[in-house]
Amino acid sequence: MFGRLMRAVQYDSYGGGAAALKHVDVPIPSPKKDEVLLKLEASSINPVDWKIQKGMLRPFLPRKFPFIPVSDVAGEVVGVGSGVKNFKEGDKVVAMLNVLSGGGFAEYATASESLTVKRPSEVPPPDGAGLPIAGLTALQMLTQAVGIKFDGSGKRANVLVTAASGGVGHYAVQLAKLGDLHVTATCGARNIELVKSLGADEVVDYKTTEGASLKSPSGLKYDAVIHCATGIGWSVFEPNLSENGIVIDITPTAGTFLNFVVKKLTWSKKQLVPLVLSPKAENLDFLVQLVKDGKLKTVVDSKYPLSKAEDAWAKIMDGHATGKVIVEM
């Protein structure tokens, strides 16, 4: 494939939103020693993607312009680096691309062997592509911060999932139920039945008085809050927490980290914990197997062809997608 061109979508500078995305023809990348070359079938957009474009992580990301965004993909291996041991051409996979180099808005992309897992035939490309960032974030929150066990040995706990119909939230609800937790969830009125179908025990419309206060309809205190929404202060969480309750924030701000430090220094039993994702292939494979076995599902809000990638970008920027927004190649 050396020298051949592929279709891709990129942006040349910070800002501009969907209107700044450009359709281009660029060379197909070559895999390094520890990489595989993928012919992409589907990519999944995450909020962090448009936040990078907006400049919220400047000057660290993007590393350089022009930049082909998106890191969550599913596809087929069509080339392998000289050091790759676990994959061969023809393997169907799910991968999380290097966030420094991106590449998911294209027909082909290179992925590190260390963050690539095989995808069984029972897992369609859109379902697999939705998993890496959102699914791994939900899993890390529940296993590391909450201490959930999936073998029945974990302690019974009450959790609240905010923005439960979103990308991370809809996975968190399902995984929490697989760990035998009691789940209260907040979402918009139109998604209440969906979130109930994912296993939530109690679902509250976040626009109601009860929803805004985050109170459990049954009066339960939360041992943990899987916080996937934004704009909710500690003063709202605190009265709803159990004695040793924690709030795990997936979109931490400077204020979140300051609150975290203050709580630690004052020996507070109630904690606000910022989450920084540490992706691992074994965890991604665990999620893929759950999807294969019908125990976890990716809720797909909408699908767009690569030629309409800017429409998918606008959809995720709107902030009200139900589940995942997918681009298919």
Side-chain angles (χ1 to χ4, degrees):
M1 295 186 183
F2 181 75
R4 285 178 51 189
L5 298 179
M6 66 176 183
R7 294 181 301 127
V9 176
Q10 65 185 30
Y11 54 85
D12 299 328
S13 62
Y14 289 115
L21 298 181
K22 297 180 179 179
H23 293 263
V24 296
D25 291 323
V26 296
I28 295 174
S30 298
K32 297 177 182 178
K33 180 181 179 180
D34 60 347
E35 292 181 334
V36 292
L37 175 64
L38 306 180
K39 186 179 190 305
L40 300 185
E41 298 172 82
S43 298
S44 170
I45 315 173
N46 293 283
V48 69
D49 295 315
W50 68 259
K51 291 177 181 179
I52 290 172
Q53 183 205 29
K54 190 176 181 180
M56 295 178 72
L57 296 178
R58 67 194 307 174
F60 306 106
L61 291 173
R63 186 167 55 181
K64 63 179 181 179
F65 293 110
F67 184 70
I68 299 173
V70 180
S71 59
D72 290 3
V73 301
E76 179 180 338
V77 176
V78 293
V80 296
S82 60
V84 172
K85 298 186 174 87
N86 298 316
F87 298 95
K88 64 183 185 305
E89 292 185 15
D91 285 342
K92 298 286 190 176
V93 299
V94 173
M96 181 176 169
L97 307 182
N98 187 330
V99 295
L100 295 176
S101 53
F105 263 10
E107 292 181 290
Y108 295 85
T110 54
S112 170
E113 180 181 27
S114 64
L115 280 177
T116 302
V117 301
K118 292 183 180 179
R119 174 170 55 87
S121 59
E122 296 91 342
V123 182
D127 297 52
L131 289 171
I133 287 181
L136 288 173
T137 297
L139 183 64
Q140 184 174 320
M141 284 193 291
L142 288 163
T143 54
Q144 293 187 11
V146 183
I148 191 174
K149 304 288 185 182
F150 295 102
D151 60 2
S153 64
K155 64 178 182 179
R156 181 74 170 171
N158 300 317
V159 299
L160 168 68
V161 180
T162 62
S165 60
V168 176
H170 88 282
Y171 288 130
V173 169
Q174 296 176 78
L175 291 169
K177 289 310 299 179
L178 286 174
D180 197 30
L181 304 185
H182 183 281
V183 178
T184 302
T186 67
C187 65
R190 67 187 176 94
N191 288 319
I192 286 177
E193 292 306 315
L194 168 67
V195 174
K196 285 181 180 179
S197 74
L198 297 177
D201 299 286
E202 304 174 314
V203 186
V204 182
D205 179 357
Y206 75 95
K207 290 185 177 180
T208 64
T209 301
E210 185 180 60
S213 67
L214 301 181
K215 293 185 182 299
S216 162
S218 59
L220 294 172
K221 296 293 185 180
Y222 308 121
D223 301 303
V225 177
I226 308 303
H227 186 32
C228 306
T230 57
I232 303 175
W234 175 255
S235 61
V236 180
F237 289 119
E238 199 276 337
N240 295 303
L241 297 176
S242 63
E243 183 180 3
N244 296 295
I246 61 171
V247 177
I248 308 108
D249 191 347
I250 70 168
T251 56
T253 63
T256 306
F257 286 96
L258 178 60
N259 190 307
F260 170 70
V261 172
V262 170
K263 296 295 181 187
K264 286 291 187 182
L265 292 176
T266 58
W267 301 94
S268 172
K269 291 183 178 181
K270 299 180 180 181
Q271 298 285 329
L272 176 61
V273 180
L275 180 126
V276 178
L277 178 62
S278 178
K280 297 179 180 179
E282 57 263 37
N283 291 338
L284 182 56
D285 183 64
F286 175 72
L287 294 174
V288 169
Q289 295 306 314
L290 288 179
V291 175
K292 171 184 175 291
D293 295 338
K295 297 178 179 179
L296 181 71
K297 70 177 180 179
T298 297
V299 174
V300 176
D301 176 278
S302 47
K303 299 177 185 178
Y304 299 82
L306 185 62
S307 61
K308 298 292 185 181
E310 59 273 22
D311 294 338
W313 199 259
K315 178 69 175 180
I316 200 72
M317 287 188 71
D318 179 59
H320 295 288
T322 300
K324 302 296 296 180
V325 176
I326 303 294
V327 171
E328 295 181 306
M329 312 318 172

